[in-house]
Amino acid sequence: MTAKLRLRGVRKRFGDHEVCKGIDLDVAEGEMVCLIGASGSGKSTLLRCMNLLEPIDDGTIWLDGQDISEPGLDPQPVRQKIGIVFQSYNLFPHMTAAENVMLAPRRVRGLSRDDLRPKVTQLFTRFGLGDRMEHYPDQLSGGQQQRVAIIRALAMEPQIMLFDEITSALDPELVGEVLDVLRDLRGQGMTMVLATHEMGFARELADKVCFLDAGRILEQGPPDALFAAPREARTKAFLSRVL
Amino acid sequence: MADTSLQPRTKERAADAPTRREVYEAGVRRRANRIALISTVSVVLAIVLLVPLAPGWEAVQRAFFNGRVFAATFPGLLEAFLLNVMIFAWSAPLIALTGLAIALCRDARAPALFPLRLFGIAYTDIFRGLPVVLVIYIIGFGVPGLGLPRPWNSPYIWGTLALVLVYSAYVAEVIRSGIDSIHQSQRSAAASLGLSDRDTMRFVVLPQAIRNVVPANMNLFIALQKDVALLSFIGPVEIFRQAGVYKSLYANFTPYVGAALIFLALTIPATRYADYLMNKQNRARS
């Protein structure tokens, strides 16, 4: 079976600090992979490498068998296929929610607002934000903003979605509404990679959980196996701290 | 009196009565206001009483605060001021556009655009490093000196160019600081959606950057309004020059005071408004 997204020996350093020290990972079509691990273990950087926001220093990344880590490759077509949602939402504060969502499809895919309106309205409605389309980000709660950010990424119709600790900045009572969106996407068969601290959620829905430690995937496997019977001492120690 | 609030309270406070802290703070505020009032009144009194005692006061009053000359020249000064407003009105948009273009030059990242970047840096360095009046002299006298035919030797054209050159360099720096103030995560978000660098700048970074630097740019345009008077050195009879003409005519300096009042009538409200915008922005940020 060929993986949708395949990483081999991925290395990334910032200055003297090597954040990813040779990562191997396969993500199959329709699979949901959760990256867990302490802060600074390299989860976020790994996600940013996957959609080429950070160029990798060594190793290879294939998307559908195409080497997308080749230096000099135009990253834009790749980024259209791999959406990412950030911990801090990163909505454009000077645009309404609907304009945030429509900007990229308009500019990159050349669609008009009229073309987009029905689909965008449908996305907002699906995620419970039908009456928030004309609001500006600062008029929305954190959970609503994060849902808009997810819709913004989905509007480009990506084949893979990356989520970088998207509930970490939210008040606890708002986490649920964002996780519901992920559940919905999971049900639709979206290929997803999540960096997350929501262990319960990872256990419930992930196909595969990877424990990152100091820039390496120390252990990976189905959630039940990894959470119930971790092999590595460091995985055990981490899980005992967070569970 | 303020001291009462310092005495211990024994009775229960009514629900709508001020708290101990509120009473104390009101007392402090009253005392501060009283001190400010007393010191202001004494300074003003000192000036009003002491300055006329100076030996030359009679002469200064005749030369600078002459009611008759003021009444005779003020309408003419106002009319001349219209020229300042006009020069300002066509210079300001040119400065804004040129400043934006230079700021974008300095932000160019592609290697092929390096000359543009170099040009932007040289431009801002040179024109921020020269006195405005010097640039006006060099361009205002130098270019028409090439023997250009009318109307291309007009001091309005070359004076305006001089103002645009100098002020757009400052505006460019302000806009660039605005661009730098937009967090990298906004560019990341735009890039992750597949937007090009160009579109990211145009739709994501610039609209936010320009909004952030409106107050700072307003201060520059207030300074520009004053510096329009420097064009008088190369010909145009605007308010400063007109005041000079009246001064010679009446052998009296009052027209300069009149001109100063006209400038202040415009610049003080504009400055207050810029400060208000700046404070509002600072509050929004904190």
Short mmCIF file of all heavy atoms in Angstrom, two decimals, chain B residues 16-70:
data_model
loop_
_atom_site.label_atom_id
_atom_site.label_comp_id
_atom_site.label_asym_id
_atom_site.label_seq_id
_atom_site.Cartn_x
_atom_site.Cartn_y
_atom_site.Cartn_z
N ASP B 16 -25.27 52.08 48.26
CA ASP B 16 -24.88 52.93 47.14
C ASP B 16 -23.84 53.95 47.53
O ASP B 16 -23.42 54.77 46.73
CB ASP B 16 -26.12 53.62 46.55
CG ASP B 16 -26.85 54.42 47.62
OD1 ASP B 16 -26.58 54.17 48.82
OD2 ASP B 16 -27.67 55.29 47.26
N ALA B 17 -23.40 53.95 48.80
CA ALA B 17 -22.39 54.92 49.23
C ALA B 17 -21.03 54.54 48.63
O ALA B 17 -20.79 53.37 48.34
CB ALA B 17 -22.30 54.92 50.75
N PRO B 18 -20.16 55.55 48.41
CA PRO B 18 -18.84 55.22 47.85
C PRO B 18 -18.02 54.39 48.82
O PRO B 18 -18.18 54.51 50.04
CB PRO B 18 -18.21 56.61 47.62
CG PRO B 18 -19.00 57.55 48.45
CD PRO B 18 -20.35 56.98 48.62
N THR B 19 -17.15 53.56 48.29
CA THR B 19 -16.30 52.76 49.16
C THR B 19 -15.22 53.65 49.76
O THR B 19 -14.99 54.78 49.30
CB THR B 19 -15.61 51.64 48.37
OG1 THR B 19 -14.77 52.25 47.39
CG2 THR B 19 -16.63 50.76 47.66
N ARG B 20 -14.54 53.14 50.76
CA ARG B 20 -13.46 53.89 51.40
C ARG B 20 -12.43 54.34 50.38
O ARG B 20 -11.97 55.46 50.37
CB ARG B 20 -12.79 52.95 52.42
CG ARG B 20 -12.76 53.53 53.77
CD ARG B 20 -12.47 52.55 54.86
NE ARG B 20 -11.86 51.30 54.49
CZ ARG B 20 -10.88 50.73 55.20
NH1 ARG B 20 -10.37 51.35 56.22
NH2 ARG B 20 -10.41 49.56 54.86
N ARG B 21 -12.11 53.41 49.46
CA ARG B 21 -11.09 53.69 48.46
C ARG B 21 -11.55 54.81 47.53
O ARG B 21 -10.77 55.70 47.18
CB ARG B 21 -10.80 52.40 47.67
CG ARG B 21 -9.96 52.60 46.48
CD ARG B 21 -8.82 51.56 46.38
NE ARG B 21 -7.67 52.23 45.78
CZ ARG B 21 -6.57 52.49 46.40
NH1 ARG B 21 -6.40 52.12 47.64
NH2 ARG B 21 -5.58 53.11 45.77
N GLU B 22 -12.84 54.77 47.12
CA GLU B 22 -13.35 55.81 46.22
C GLU B 22 -13.29 57.19 46.87
O GLU B 22 -12.92 58.17 46.24
CB GLU B 22 -14.80 55.48 45.80
CG GLU B 22 -14.86 54.43 44.71
CD GLU B 22 -16.25 53.81 44.56
OE1 GLU B 22 -17.14 54.13 45.36
OE2 GLU B 22 -16.39 53.00 43.65
N VAL B 23 -13.65 57.24 48.15
CA VAL B 23 -13.60 58.51 48.86
C VAL B 23 -12.17 59.03 48.91
O VAL B 23 -11.90 60.18 48.63
CB VAL B 23 -14.15 58.33 50.29
CG1 VAL B 23 -13.91 59.59 51.11
CG2 VAL B 23 -15.63 57.99 50.25
N TYR B 24 -11.25 58.12 49.22
CA TYR B 24 -9.85 58.50 49.31
C TYR B 24 -9.34 59.02 47.97
O TYR B 24 -8.71 60.08 47.89
CB TYR B 24 -9.02 57.29 49.76
CG TYR B 24 -7.53 57.51 49.65
CD1 TYR B 24 -6.88 58.35 50.56
CD2 TYR B 24 -6.80 56.91 48.64
CE1 TYR B 24 -5.51 58.57 50.46
CE2 TYR B 24 -5.44 57.12 48.52
CZ TYR B 24 -4.80 57.95 49.44
OH TYR B 24 -3.46 58.16 49.33
N GLU B 25 -9.66 58.30 46.90
CA GLU B 25 -9.16 58.69 45.58
C GLU B 25 -9.76 60.01 45.12
O GLU B 25 -9.09 60.82 44.49
CB GLU B 25 -9.44 57.58 44.56
CG GLU B 25 -8.39 56.47 44.68
CD GLU B 25 -8.67 55.30 43.77
OE1 GLU B 25 -9.72 55.29 43.10
OE2 GLU B 25 -7.83 54.39 43.74
N ALA B 26 -11.04 60.23 45.45
CA ALA B 26 -11.66 61.51 45.10
C ALA B 26 -10.93 62.64 45.81
O ALA B 26 -10.69 63.70 45.23
CB ALA B 26 -13.14 61.49 45.48
N GLY B 27 -10.55 62.42 47.05
CA GLY B 27 -9.81 63.42 47.81
C GLY B 27 -8.47 63.73 47.17
O GLY B 27 -8.09 64.89 47.00
N VAL B 28 -7.77 62.68 46.78
CA VAL B 28 -6.46 62.86 46.14
C VAL B 28 -6.63 63.66 44.86
O VAL B 28 -5.84 64.57 44.55
CB VAL B 28 -5.82 61.48 45.85
CG1 VAL B 28 -4.60 61.65 44.95
CG2 VAL B 28 -5.44 60.80 47.14
N ARG B 29 -7.68 63.31 44.09
CA ARG B 29 -7.91 63.99 42.82
C ARG B 29 -8.20 65.48 43.05
O ARG B 29 -7.66 66.33 42.36
CB ARG B 29 -9.10 63.34 42.10
CG ARG B 29 -8.71 62.74 40.78
CD ARG B 29 -9.89 62.27 39.94
NE ARG B 29 -11.11 61.96 40.65
CZ ARG B 29 -11.44 60.74 41.07
NH1 ARG B 29 -10.59 59.74 40.93
NH2 ARG B 29 -12.60 60.54 41.65
N ARG B 30 -9.05 65.76 44.06
CA ARG B 30 -9.38 67.16 44.33
C ARG B 30 -8.13 67.95 44.69
O ARG B 30 -7.92 69.05 44.21
CB ARG B 30 -10.38 67.24 45.50
CG ARG B 30 -11.83 67.28 45.06
CD ARG B 30 -12.75 67.79 46.19
NE ARG B 30 -12.59 67.05 47.43
CZ ARG B 30 -13.23 65.89 47.67
NH1 ARG B 30 -14.05 65.40 46.77
NH2 ARG B 30 -13.06 65.27 48.81
N ARG B 31 -7.28 67.35 45.51
CA ARG B 31 -6.06 68.05 45.93
C ARG B 31 -5.17 68.30 44.71
O ARG B 31 -4.65 69.39 44.53
CB ARG B 31 -5.32 67.22 46.98
CG ARG B 31 -4.23 68.01 47.68
CD ARG B 31 -3.64 67.22 48.84
NE ARG B 31 -4.62 66.32 49.44
CZ ARG B 31 -4.30 65.21 50.13
NH1 ARG B 31 -3.04 64.90 50.32
NH2 ARG B 31 -5.23 64.45 50.65
N ALA B 32 -5.02 67.30 43.85
CA ALA B 32 -4.17 67.46 42.67
C ALA B 32 -4.69 68.57 41.78
O ALA B 32 -3.93 69.41 41.29
CB ALA B 32 -4.11 66.14 41.89
N ASN B 33 -6.02 68.60 41.58
CA ASN B 33 -6.60 69.65 40.74
C ASN B 33 -6.37 71.02 41.32
O ASN B 33 -6.07 71.98 40.61
CB ASN B 33 -8.11 69.41 40.58
CG ASN B 33 -8.40 68.23 39.67
OD1 ASN B 33 -7.52 67.80 38.92
ND2 ASN B 33 -9.60 67.70 39.74
N ARG B 34 -6.49 71.12 42.65
CA ARG B 34 -6.32 72.41 43.31
C ARG B 34 -4.88 72.92 43.10
O ARG B 34 -4.65 74.06 42.75
CB ARG B 34 -6.62 72.27 44.81
CG ARG B 34 -7.02 73.57 45.47
CD ARG B 34 -7.82 73.33 46.75
NE ARG B 34 -7.21 72.33 47.60
CZ ARG B 34 -7.90 71.29 48.10
NH1 ARG B 34 -9.18 71.15 47.83
NH2 ARG B 34 -7.29 70.43 48.88
N ILE B 35 -3.93 72.01 43.28
CA ILE B 35 -2.52 72.41 43.14
C ILE B 35 -2.24 72.83 41.69
O ILE B 35 -1.60 73.86 41.43
CB ILE B 35 -1.59 71.25 43.54
CG1 ILE B 35 -1.72 71.01 45.05
CG2 ILE B 35 -0.14 71.56 43.18
CD1 ILE B 35 -0.98 69.78 45.53
N ALA B 36 -2.78 72.07 40.72
CA ALA B 36 -2.56 72.40 39.31
C ALA B 36 -3.13 73.78 39.00
O ALA B 36 -2.51 74.59 38.32
CB ALA B 36 -3.20 71.34 38.42
N LEU B 37 -4.33 74.06 39.53
CA LEU B 37 -4.98 75.33 39.26
C LEU B 37 -4.16 76.48 39.83
O LEU B 37 -3.89 77.47 39.14
CB LEU B 37 -6.39 75.33 39.88
CG LEU B 37 -7.21 76.58 39.62
CD1 LEU B 37 -7.60 76.62 38.15
CD2 LEU B 37 -8.45 76.63 40.51
N ILE B 38 -3.74 76.32 41.08
CA ILE B 38 -2.99 77.39 41.73
C ILE B 38 -1.69 77.67 40.96
O ILE B 38 -1.36 78.83 40.67
CB ILE B 38 -2.67 77.03 43.20
CG1 ILE B 38 -3.97 77.04 44.01
CG2 ILE B 38 -1.66 78.01 43.81
CD1 ILE B 38 -3.81 76.47 45.41
N SER B 39 -0.98 76.62 40.58
CA SER B 39 0.31 76.85 39.93
C SER B 39 0.11 77.46 38.54
O SER B 39 0.86 78.33 38.13
CB SER B 39 1.12 75.55 39.86
OG SER B 39 0.74 74.79 38.75
N THR B 40 -0.95 77.04 37.83
CA THR B 40 -1.20 77.62 36.51
C THR B 40 -1.52 79.10 36.62
O THR B 40 -0.97 79.93 35.89
CB THR B 40 -2.37 76.89 35.82
OG1 THR B 40 -2.14 75.50 35.87
CG2 THR B 40 -2.50 77.33 34.38
N VAL B 41 -2.43 79.43 37.55
CA VAL B 41 -2.82 80.83 37.70
C VAL B 41 -1.62 81.69 38.07
O VAL B 41 -1.43 82.79 37.52
CB VAL B 41 -3.94 80.96 38.78
CG1 VAL B 41 -4.13 82.43 39.17
CG2 VAL B 41 -5.23 80.37 38.26
N SER B 42 -0.76 81.17 38.95
CA SER B 42 0.37 82.02 39.36
C SER B 42 1.36 82.23 38.21
O SER B 42 1.90 83.32 38.05
CB SER B 42 1.07 81.47 40.61
OG SER B 42 1.05 80.09 40.60
N VAL B 43 1.56 81.20 37.38
CA VAL B 43 2.47 81.38 36.25
C VAL B 43 1.90 82.40 35.27
O VAL B 43 2.59 83.31 34.81
CB VAL B 43 2.73 80.03 35.54
CG1 VAL B 43 3.44 80.25 34.22
CG2 VAL B 43 3.57 79.12 36.43
N VAL B 44 0.59 82.25 34.94
CA VAL B 44 -0.03 83.18 33.98
C VAL B 44 0.02 84.61 34.52
O VAL B 44 0.37 85.56 33.81
CB VAL B 44 -1.48 82.75 33.68
CG1 VAL B 44 -2.20 83.84 32.90
CG2 VAL B 44 -1.49 81.44 32.91
N LEU B 45 -0.31 84.77 35.81
CA LEU B 45 -0.26 86.09 36.43
C LEU B 45 1.13 86.70 36.32
O LEU B 45 1.29 87.87 35.97
CB LEU B 45 -0.67 85.99 37.90
CG LEU B 45 -2.16 86.20 38.21
CD1 LEU B 45 -2.39 86.11 39.71
CD2 LEU B 45 -2.62 87.54 37.66
N ALA B 46 2.12 85.87 36.61
CA ALA B 46 3.50 86.36 36.56
C ALA B 46 3.82 86.89 35.17
O ALA B 46 4.41 87.97 35.01
CB ALA B 46 4.47 85.24 36.94
N ILE B 47 3.39 86.12 34.13
CA ILE B 47 3.69 86.56 32.77
C ILE B 47 2.97 87.87 32.46
O ILE B 47 3.55 88.84 31.98
CB ILE B 47 3.28 85.46 31.76
CG1 ILE B 47 4.19 84.24 31.94
CG2 ILE B 47 3.36 85.99 30.33
CD1 ILE B 47 3.77 83.03 31.15
N VAL B 48 1.66 87.90 32.77
CA VAL B 48 0.86 89.07 32.44
C VAL B 48 1.37 90.31 33.18
O VAL B 48 1.37 91.42 32.63
CB VAL B 48 -0.63 88.81 32.76
CG1 VAL B 48 -1.43 90.09 32.64
CG2 VAL B 48 -1.18 87.74 31.85
N LEU B 49 1.80 90.14 34.43
CA LEU B 49 2.24 91.30 35.21
C LEU B 49 3.67 91.69 34.92
O LEU B 49 4.00 92.88 34.86
CB LEU B 49 2.07 91.01 36.71
CG LEU B 49 0.62 90.82 37.18
CD1 LEU B 49 0.59 90.44 38.66
CD2 LEU B 49 -0.18 92.10 36.94
N LEU B 50 4.53 90.67 34.72
CA LEU B 50 5.96 90.97 34.65
C LEU B 50 6.41 91.38 33.25
O LEU B 50 7.22 92.29 33.11
CB LEU B 50 6.79 89.77 35.13
CG LEU B 50 6.63 89.44 36.62
CD1 LEU B 50 7.47 88.23 37.00
CD2 LEU B 50 7.01 90.66 37.47
N VAL B 51 5.87 90.71 32.21
CA VAL B 51 6.37 91.00 30.86
C VAL B 51 6.19 92.48 30.48
O VAL B 51 7.11 93.10 29.97
CB VAL B 51 5.72 90.06 29.82
CG1 VAL B 51 6.01 90.54 28.41
CG2 VAL B 51 6.23 88.64 30.01
N PRO B 52 5.02 93.08 30.77
CA PRO B 52 4.87 94.51 30.42
C PRO B 52 5.84 95.41 31.18
O PRO B 52 6.04 96.56 30.79
CB PRO B 52 3.43 94.82 30.83
CG PRO B 52 2.74 93.51 30.78
CD PRO B 52 3.76 92.51 31.23
N LEU B 53 6.45 94.90 32.26
CA LEU B 53 7.42 95.71 33.00
C LEU B 53 8.76 95.79 32.26
O LEU B 53 9.59 96.65 32.57
CB LEU B 53 7.65 95.14 34.40
CG LEU B 53 6.42 95.18 35.33
CD1 LEU B 53 6.76 94.57 36.69
CD2 LEU B 53 5.93 96.61 35.49
N ALA B 54 8.95 94.85 31.28
CA ALA B 54 10.23 94.86 30.55
C ALA B 54 10.38 96.19 29.82
O ALA B 54 9.39 96.76 29.34
CB ALA B 54 10.27 93.71 29.56
N PRO B 55 11.62 96.72 29.72
CA PRO B 55 11.83 98.06 29.16
C PRO B 55 11.35 98.17 27.71
O PRO B 55 10.85 99.20 27.30
CB PRO B 55 13.34 98.26 29.27
CG PRO B 55 13.92 96.92 29.56
CD PRO B 55 12.87 96.12 30.22
N GLY B 56 11.46 97.04 26.91
CA GLY B 56 11.11 97.15 25.50
C GLY B 56 9.66 96.79 25.19
O GLY B 56 9.28 96.68 24.03
N TRP B 57 8.84 96.55 26.24
CA TRP B 57 7.49 96.01 26.01
C TRP B 57 6.66 96.90 25.09
O TRP B 57 6.00 96.42 24.16
CB TRP B 57 6.78 95.81 27.34
CG TRP B 57 5.32 95.48 27.17
CD1 TRP B 57 4.26 96.22 27.59
CD2 TRP B 57 4.78 94.36 26.48
NE1 TRP B 57 3.09 95.64 27.23
CE2 TRP B 57 3.38 94.48 26.53
CE3 TRP B 57 5.33 93.27 25.82
CZ2 TRP B 57 2.52 93.56 25.95
CZ3 TRP B 57 4.48 92.35 25.24
CH2 TRP B 57 3.09 92.48 25.31
N GLU B 58 6.71 98.23 25.33
CA GLU B 58 5.93 99.16 24.51
C GLU B 58 6.25 98.97 23.04
O GLU B 58 5.36 98.84 22.18
CB GLU B 58 6.25 100.61 24.92
CG GLU B 58 5.72 100.99 26.28
CD GLU B 58 4.21 101.24 26.24
OE1 GLU B 58 3.76 101.93 25.29
OE2 GLU B 58 3.49 100.71 27.11
N ALA B 59 7.53 98.87 22.73
CA ALA B 59 7.97 98.74 21.33
C ALA B 59 7.51 97.41 20.74
O ALA B 59 7.01 97.36 19.61
CB ALA B 59 9.49 98.87 21.25
N VAL B 60 7.67 96.34 21.55
CA VAL B 60 7.27 95.01 21.05
C VAL B 60 5.77 94.97 20.78
O VAL B 60 5.31 94.45 19.78
CB VAL B 60 7.68 93.92 22.07
CG1 VAL B 60 7.02 92.59 21.73
CG2 VAL B 60 9.20 93.77 22.10
N GLN B 61 5.02 95.57 21.70
CA GLN B 61 3.57 95.58 21.53
C GLN B 61 3.18 96.30 20.24
O GLN B 61 2.33 95.81 19.50
CB GLN B 61 2.94 96.27 22.73
CG GLN B 61 1.46 95.95 22.88
CD GLN B 61 0.85 96.67 24.07
OE1 GLN B 61 1.44 97.61 24.63
NE2 GLN B 61 -0.32 96.22 24.46
N ARG B 62 3.81 97.40 19.98
CA ARG B 62 3.52 98.14 18.74
C ARG B 62 3.91 97.33 17.51
O ARG B 62 3.22 97.32 16.51
CB ARG B 62 4.29 99.47 18.74
CG ARG B 62 3.49 100.64 19.29
CD ARG B 62 4.09 101.98 18.86
NE ARG B 62 5.55 102.05 19.08
CZ ARG B 62 6.10 102.37 20.25
NH1 ARG B 62 5.34 102.65 21.29
NH2 ARG B 62 7.41 102.43 20.38
N ALA B 63 5.05 96.62 17.56
CA ALA B 63 5.59 95.95 16.38
C ALA B 63 4.91 94.61 16.11
O ALA B 63 4.78 94.19 14.96
CB ALA B 63 7.09 95.76 16.54
N PHE B 64 4.46 93.92 17.17
CA PHE B 64 3.95 92.55 16.97
C PHE B 64 2.45 92.40 17.21
O PHE B 64 1.82 91.51 16.69
CB PHE B 64 4.69 91.56 17.88
CG PHE B 64 6.06 91.21 17.39
CD1 PHE B 64 7.16 91.98 17.75
CD2 PHE B 64 6.25 90.12 16.55
CE1 PHE B 64 8.43 91.66 17.30
CE2 PHE B 64 7.52 89.80 16.09
CZ PHE B 64 8.61 90.58 16.46
N PHE B 65 1.90 93.24 18.08
CA PHE B 65 0.49 93.06 18.45
C PHE B 65 -0.29 94.33 18.15
O PHE B 65 -0.97 94.87 18.99
CB PHE B 65 0.37 92.69 19.93
CG PHE B 65 1.15 91.44 20.28
CD1 PHE B 65 2.39 91.54 20.91
CD2 PHE B 65 0.65 90.19 19.94
CE1 PHE B 65 3.11 90.40 21.21
CE2 PHE B 65 1.37 89.05 20.23
CZ PHE B 65 2.61 89.15 20.87
N ASN B 66 -0.17 94.77 16.91
CA ASN B 66 -0.82 96.01 16.50
C ASN B 66 -2.20 95.69 15.91
O ASN B 66 -2.30 95.09 14.84
CB ASN B 66 0.06 96.70 15.47
CG ASN B 66 -0.47 98.07 15.10
OD1 ASN B 66 -1.67 98.22 14.89
ND2 ASN B 66 0.41 99.06 15.05
N GLY B 67 -3.25 96.05 16.64
CA GLY B 67 -4.61 95.70 16.23
C GLY B 67 -4.98 96.25 14.86
O GLY B 67 -5.60 95.56 14.05
N ARG B 68 -4.56 97.45 14.56
CA ARG B 68 -4.93 98.07 13.29
C ARG B 68 -4.29 97.31 12.12
O ARG B 68 -4.95 96.96 11.15
CB ARG B 68 -4.45 99.54 13.29
CG ARG B 68 -5.01 100.40 12.17
CD ARG B 68 -4.46 101.82 12.26
NE ARG B 68 -2.97 101.83 12.35
CZ ARG B 68 -2.18 101.73 11.26
NH1 ARG B 68 -2.70 101.63 10.06
NH2 ARG B 68 -0.85 101.73 11.41
N VAL B 69 -3.01 96.99 12.25
CA VAL B 69 -2.32 96.25 11.20
C VAL B 69 -2.91 94.85 11.05
O VAL B 69 -3.12 94.34 9.95
CB VAL B 69 -0.80 96.17 11.49
CG1 VAL B 69 -0.10 95.29 10.46
CG2 VAL B 69 -0.19 97.56 11.52
N PHE B 70 -3.23 94.26 12.20
CA PHE B 70 -3.80 92.92 12.19
C PHE B 70 -5.09 92.90 11.38
O PHE B 70 -5.28 92.06 10.48
CB PHE B 70 -4.07 92.47 13.63
CG PHE B 70 -4.52 91.04 13.74
CD1 PHE B 70 -3.61 90.01 13.81
CD2 PHE B 70 -5.88 90.74 13.77
CE1 PHE B 70 -4.03 88.70 13.90
CE2 PHE B 70 -6.31 89.42 13.86
CZ PHE B 70 -5.38 88.40 13.93
#
